[in-house]
Short mmCIF file of all heavy atoms in Angstrom, two decimals:
data_model
loop_
_atom_site.label_atom_id
_atom_site.label_comp_id
_atom_site.label_asym_id
_atom_site.label_seq_id
_atom_site.Cartn_x
_atom_site.Cartn_y
_atom_site.Cartn_z
N ASP A 196 6.76 23.26 -9.97
CA ASP A 196 6.53 21.96 -10.62
C ASP A 196 7.45 21.82 -11.82
O ASP A 196 7.15 22.36 -12.87
CB ASP A 196 5.07 21.84 -11.03
CG ASP A 196 4.72 20.48 -11.62
OD1 ASP A 196 5.63 19.63 -11.75
OD2 ASP A 196 3.55 20.27 -11.94
N PRO A 197 8.58 21.12 -11.62
CA PRO A 197 9.08 20.53 -10.39
C PRO A 197 9.74 21.58 -9.50
O PRO A 197 10.05 22.69 -9.96
CB PRO A 197 10.12 19.52 -10.88
CG PRO A 197 10.67 20.15 -12.13
CD PRO A 197 9.48 20.84 -12.76
N VAL A 198 9.96 21.22 -8.24
CA VAL A 198 10.67 22.10 -7.32
C VAL A 198 12.10 22.29 -7.85
O VAL A 198 12.72 21.33 -8.30
CB VAL A 198 10.68 21.51 -5.89
CG1 VAL A 198 11.61 22.27 -4.98
CG2 VAL A 198 9.25 21.49 -5.34
N GLY A 199 12.57 23.53 -7.83
CA GLY A 199 13.93 23.83 -8.30
C GLY A 199 13.96 24.28 -9.74
O GLY A 199 12.92 24.53 -10.35
N ARG A 200 15.15 24.41 -10.26
CA ARG A 200 15.33 24.89 -11.64
C ARG A 200 14.89 23.85 -12.65
O ARG A 200 15.12 22.66 -12.47
CB ARG A 200 16.79 25.24 -11.87
CG ARG A 200 17.24 26.41 -11.06
CD ARG A 200 18.71 26.68 -11.28
NE ARG A 200 19.10 27.70 -10.31
CZ ARG A 200 20.07 28.54 -10.50
NH1 ARG A 200 20.79 28.49 -11.60
NH2 ARG A 200 20.36 29.44 -9.59
N SER A 201 14.25 24.34 -13.70
CA SER A 201 13.82 23.47 -14.79
C SER A 201 13.56 24.33 -16.01
O SER A 201 13.62 25.57 -15.94
CB SER A 201 12.54 22.71 -14.41
OG SER A 201 11.42 23.59 -14.40
N GLY A 202 13.23 23.71 -17.11
CA GLY A 202 12.84 24.45 -18.31
C GLY A 202 11.60 25.28 -18.09
O GLY A 202 11.38 26.29 -18.76
N PHE A 203 10.75 24.85 -17.15
CA PHE A 203 9.55 25.61 -16.81
C PHE A 203 9.86 26.78 -15.89
O PHE A 203 9.09 27.72 -15.78
CB PHE A 203 8.51 24.72 -16.11
CG PHE A 203 8.04 23.55 -16.93
CD1 PHE A 203 8.03 22.28 -16.38
CD2 PHE A 203 7.58 23.71 -18.22
CE1 PHE A 203 7.58 21.19 -17.11
CE2 PHE A 203 7.14 22.63 -18.96
CZ PHE A 203 7.15 21.38 -18.41
N ASP A 204 10.98 26.69 -15.15
CA ASP A 204 11.32 27.66 -14.12
C ASP A 204 12.84 27.79 -14.01
O ASP A 204 13.46 27.25 -13.10
CB ASP A 204 10.71 27.19 -12.78
CG ASP A 204 10.92 28.15 -11.65
OD1 ASP A 204 11.39 29.29 -11.87
OD2 ASP A 204 10.61 27.76 -10.50
N PRO A 205 13.47 28.49 -14.98
CA PRO A 205 14.93 28.57 -15.02
C PRO A 205 15.58 29.09 -13.74
O PRO A 205 16.69 28.70 -13.40
CB PRO A 205 15.22 29.51 -16.19
CG PRO A 205 13.99 29.47 -17.03
CD PRO A 205 12.85 29.22 -16.08
N ASP A 206 14.90 29.98 -13.01
CA ASP A 206 15.46 30.52 -11.77
C ASP A 206 15.22 29.62 -10.57
O ASP A 206 15.85 29.78 -9.52
CB ASP A 206 14.86 31.90 -11.47
CG ASP A 206 15.20 32.94 -12.52
OD1 ASP A 206 16.27 32.81 -13.16
OD2 ASP A 206 14.39 33.86 -12.72
N GLY A 207 14.27 28.70 -10.68
CA GLY A 207 13.96 27.81 -9.58
C GLY A 207 13.23 28.47 -8.43
O GLY A 207 13.23 27.97 -7.31
N THR A 208 12.56 29.59 -8.70
CA THR A 208 11.86 30.32 -7.64
C THR A 208 10.35 30.09 -7.65
O THR A 208 9.65 30.61 -6.79
CB THR A 208 12.13 31.83 -7.76
OG1 THR A 208 11.72 32.27 -9.06
CG2 THR A 208 13.61 32.13 -7.56
N GLY A 209 9.85 29.36 -8.61
CA GLY A 209 8.42 29.08 -8.68
C GLY A 209 7.67 30.15 -9.45
O GLY A 209 8.22 31.16 -9.87
N HIS A 210 6.39 29.89 -9.63
CA HIS A 210 5.47 30.78 -10.36
C HIS A 210 4.50 31.35 -9.32
O HIS A 210 3.79 30.59 -8.66
CB HIS A 210 4.73 30.00 -11.44
CG HIS A 210 5.66 29.18 -12.29
ND1 HIS A 210 6.30 29.70 -13.38
CD2 HIS A 210 6.08 27.91 -12.18
CE1 HIS A 210 7.07 28.78 -13.91
NE2 HIS A 210 6.95 27.67 -13.20
N HIS A 211 4.50 32.68 -9.16
CA HIS A 211 3.75 33.32 -8.08
C HIS A 211 2.66 34.23 -8.64
O HIS A 211 2.93 35.05 -9.51
CB HIS A 211 4.69 34.13 -7.19
CG HIS A 211 5.76 33.27 -6.58
ND1 HIS A 211 5.61 32.67 -5.36
CD2 HIS A 211 6.98 32.89 -7.04
CE1 HIS A 211 6.69 31.96 -5.09
NE2 HIS A 211 7.53 32.08 -6.10
N GLY A 212 1.43 34.06 -8.15
CA GLY A 212 0.31 34.87 -8.58
C GLY A 212 -0.38 34.28 -9.79
O GLY A 212 0.18 33.46 -10.53
N ARG A 213 -1.62 34.71 -10.01
CA ARG A 213 -2.47 34.14 -11.06
C ARG A 213 -1.85 34.23 -12.46
O ARG A 213 -1.88 33.27 -13.21
CB ARG A 213 -3.84 34.83 -11.04
CG ARG A 213 -4.84 34.19 -12.00
CD ARG A 213 -6.19 34.89 -11.93
NE ARG A 213 -7.14 34.28 -12.84
CZ ARG A 213 -8.03 33.35 -12.51
NH1 ARG A 213 -8.10 32.93 -11.27
NH2 ARG A 213 -8.85 32.85 -13.42
N GLU A 214 -1.28 35.38 -12.81
CA GLU A 214 -0.72 35.54 -14.15
C GLU A 214 0.44 34.57 -14.39
O GLU A 214 0.49 33.90 -15.42
CB GLU A 214 -0.26 36.98 -14.37
CG GLU A 214 0.25 37.22 -15.78
CD GLU A 214 0.66 38.67 -16.02
OE1 GLU A 214 0.24 39.56 -15.26
OE2 GLU A 214 1.40 38.89 -16.99
N ALA A 215 1.35 34.48 -13.44
CA ALA A 215 2.50 33.58 -13.59
C ALA A 215 2.07 32.12 -13.59
O ALA A 215 2.59 31.31 -14.36
CB ALA A 215 3.52 33.84 -12.49
N ILE A 216 1.10 31.79 -12.74
CA ILE A 216 0.59 30.41 -12.70
C ILE A 216 -0.11 30.08 -14.02
O ILE A 216 0.02 28.98 -14.55
CB ILE A 216 -0.32 30.20 -11.48
CG1 ILE A 216 0.50 30.32 -10.18
CG2 ILE A 216 -1.03 28.85 -11.55
CD1 ILE A 216 -0.34 30.35 -8.92
N GLY A 217 -0.83 31.05 -14.58
CA GLY A 217 -1.46 30.86 -15.89
C GLY A 217 -0.43 30.62 -16.99
O GLY A 217 -0.63 29.78 -17.88
N LYS A 218 0.69 31.33 -16.94
CA LYS A 218 1.77 31.11 -17.92
C LYS A 218 2.38 29.72 -17.75
O LYS A 218 2.71 29.06 -18.73
CB LYS A 218 2.83 32.20 -17.81
CG LYS A 218 2.35 33.54 -18.33
CD LYS A 218 3.41 34.60 -18.19
CE LYS A 218 2.87 35.95 -18.67
NZ LYS A 218 3.85 37.03 -18.48
N PHE A 219 2.52 29.29 -16.49
CA PHE A 219 3.00 27.94 -16.24
C PHE A 219 2.06 26.92 -16.90
O PHE A 219 2.51 25.99 -17.56
CB PHE A 219 3.10 27.66 -14.73
CG PHE A 219 3.26 26.20 -14.42
CD1 PHE A 219 4.48 25.59 -14.56
CD2 PHE A 219 2.17 25.44 -14.01
CE1 PHE A 219 4.63 24.23 -14.30
CE2 PHE A 219 2.30 24.09 -13.74
CZ PHE A 219 3.53 23.48 -13.89
N TRP A 220 0.76 27.11 -16.73
CA TRP A 220 -0.22 26.20 -17.37
C TRP A 220 0.03 26.16 -18.87
O TRP A 220 0.09 25.08 -19.46
CB TRP A 220 -1.64 26.68 -17.08
CG TRP A 220 -2.70 25.92 -17.85
CD1 TRP A 220 -2.97 26.01 -19.19
CD2 TRP A 220 -3.61 24.96 -17.34
NE1 TRP A 220 -3.99 25.16 -19.54
CE2 TRP A 220 -4.41 24.51 -18.41
CE3 TRP A 220 -3.85 24.46 -16.07
CZ2 TRP A 220 -5.41 23.55 -18.26
CZ3 TRP A 220 -4.87 23.51 -15.91
CH2 TRP A 220 -5.63 23.07 -17.00
N ASP A 221 0.16 27.32 -19.49
CA ASP A 221 0.31 27.39 -20.94
C ASP A 221 1.54 26.63 -21.45
O ASP A 221 1.48 25.99 -22.49
CB ASP A 221 0.38 28.85 -21.41
CG ASP A 221 -0.92 29.59 -21.19
OD1 ASP A 221 -1.98 28.95 -21.03
OD2 ASP A 221 -0.87 30.84 -21.16
N MET A 222 2.64 26.70 -20.70
CA MET A 222 3.86 26.06 -21.19
C MET A 222 4.00 24.61 -20.74
O MET A 222 4.85 23.89 -21.26
CB MET A 222 5.09 26.88 -20.81
CG MET A 222 5.46 26.88 -19.38
SD MET A 222 6.97 27.82 -19.17
CE MET A 222 6.65 28.53 -17.57
N SER A 223 3.18 24.16 -19.81
CA SER A 223 3.32 22.79 -19.33
C SER A 223 2.02 22.00 -19.53
O SER A 223 1.90 21.23 -20.47
CB SER A 223 3.76 22.77 -17.87
OG SER A 223 2.78 23.41 -17.06
N ILE A 224 1.05 22.23 -18.70
CA ILE A 224 -0.22 21.49 -18.76
C ILE A 224 -0.90 21.70 -20.11
O ILE A 224 -1.41 20.76 -20.71
CB ILE A 224 -1.15 21.92 -17.60
CG1 ILE A 224 -0.48 21.61 -16.26
CG2 ILE A 224 -2.52 21.27 -17.71
CD1 ILE A 224 -1.12 22.29 -15.06
N GLY A 225 -0.89 22.93 -20.59
CA GLY A 225 -1.56 23.25 -21.85
C GLY A 225 -0.97 22.56 -23.07
O GLY A 225 -1.63 22.47 -24.10
N THR A 226 0.25 22.08 -22.97
CA THR A 226 0.89 21.41 -24.12
C THR A 226 0.62 19.91 -24.15
O THR A 226 1.00 19.24 -25.10
CB THR A 226 2.41 21.64 -24.11
OG1 THR A 226 2.97 20.98 -22.97
CG2 THR A 226 2.76 23.11 -24.12
N THR A 227 -0.05 19.39 -23.12
CA THR A 227 -0.28 17.95 -23.06
C THR A 227 -1.56 17.57 -23.80
O THR A 227 -2.48 18.36 -23.92
CB THR A 227 -0.40 17.47 -21.60
OG1 THR A 227 -1.56 18.06 -21.01
CG2 THR A 227 0.85 17.81 -20.80
N GLU A 228 -1.56 16.33 -24.25
CA GLU A 228 -2.78 15.76 -24.84
C GLU A 228 -3.69 15.24 -23.75
O GLU A 228 -4.91 15.30 -23.87
CB GLU A 228 -2.40 14.66 -25.83
CG GLU A 228 -1.61 15.21 -27.03
CD GLU A 228 -0.81 14.14 -27.74
OE1 GLU A 228 -1.33 13.01 -27.93
OE2 GLU A 228 0.34 14.43 -28.11
N SER A 229 -3.09 14.71 -22.68
CA SER A 229 -3.86 14.24 -21.53
C SER A 229 -2.93 14.11 -20.33
O SER A 229 -1.71 14.00 -20.50
CB SER A 229 -4.54 12.90 -21.81
OG SER A 229 -3.57 11.88 -21.97
N ILE A 230 -3.52 14.14 -19.15
CA ILE A 230 -2.79 13.92 -17.91
C ILE A 230 -3.64 13.05 -17.00
O ILE A 230 -4.83 13.29 -16.84
CB ILE A 230 -2.46 15.26 -17.18
CG1 ILE A 230 -1.55 16.12 -18.05
CG2 ILE A 230 -1.81 14.99 -15.83
CD1 ILE A 230 -1.17 17.45 -17.41
N GLU A 231 -3.00 12.01 -16.43
CA GLU A 231 -3.66 11.13 -15.46
C GLU A 231 -2.90 11.22 -14.14
O GLU A 231 -1.67 11.32 -14.14
CB GLU A 231 -3.59 9.67 -15.91
CG GLU A 231 -4.40 9.31 -17.12
CD GLU A 231 -4.20 7.84 -17.43
OE1 GLU A 231 -4.83 7.00 -16.74
OE2 GLU A 231 -3.41 7.54 -18.33
N PHE A 232 -3.62 11.16 -13.05
CA PHE A 232 -3.02 11.15 -11.72
C PHE A 232 -3.18 9.74 -11.16
O PHE A 232 -4.28 9.34 -10.82
CB PHE A 232 -3.68 12.19 -10.82
CG PHE A 232 -3.46 13.59 -11.33
CD1 PHE A 232 -4.33 14.16 -12.25
CD2 PHE A 232 -2.36 14.32 -10.91
CE1 PHE A 232 -4.12 15.44 -12.73
CE2 PHE A 232 -2.14 15.60 -11.39
CZ PHE A 232 -3.02 16.17 -12.30
N LEU A 233 -2.09 9.01 -11.12
CA LEU A 233 -2.09 7.62 -10.66
C LEU A 233 -1.46 7.60 -9.27
O LEU A 233 -0.33 7.15 -9.08
CB LEU A 233 -1.31 6.75 -11.65
CG LEU A 233 -1.74 6.89 -13.11
CD1 LEU A 233 -0.80 6.15 -14.04
CD2 LEU A 233 -3.17 6.40 -13.29
N PHE A 234 -2.20 8.11 -8.30
CA PHE A 234 -1.68 8.28 -6.96
C PHE A 234 -2.03 7.07 -6.10
O PHE A 234 -3.15 6.57 -6.14
CB PHE A 234 -2.20 9.56 -6.33
CG PHE A 234 -1.63 10.81 -6.96
CD1 PHE A 234 -2.33 11.99 -6.91
CD2 PHE A 234 -0.40 10.80 -7.59
CE1 PHE A 234 -1.82 13.16 -7.47
CE2 PHE A 234 0.14 11.96 -8.16
CZ PHE A 234 -0.58 13.14 -8.09
#
Side-chain angles (χ1 to χ4, degrees):
D196 184 358
V198 170
R200 294 177 188 208
S201 72
F203 299 130
D204 184 9
D206 297 331
T208 58
H210 311 275
H211 301 268
R213 186 179 180 96
E214 184 178 341
I216 294 171
K218 288 180 182 176
F219 166 78
W220 172 288
D221 293 340
M222 71 177 146
S223 61
I224 299 165
T226 66
T227 64
E228 295 159 42
S229 66
I230 297 180
E231 292 179 79
F232 296 88
L233 308 172
F234 290 154

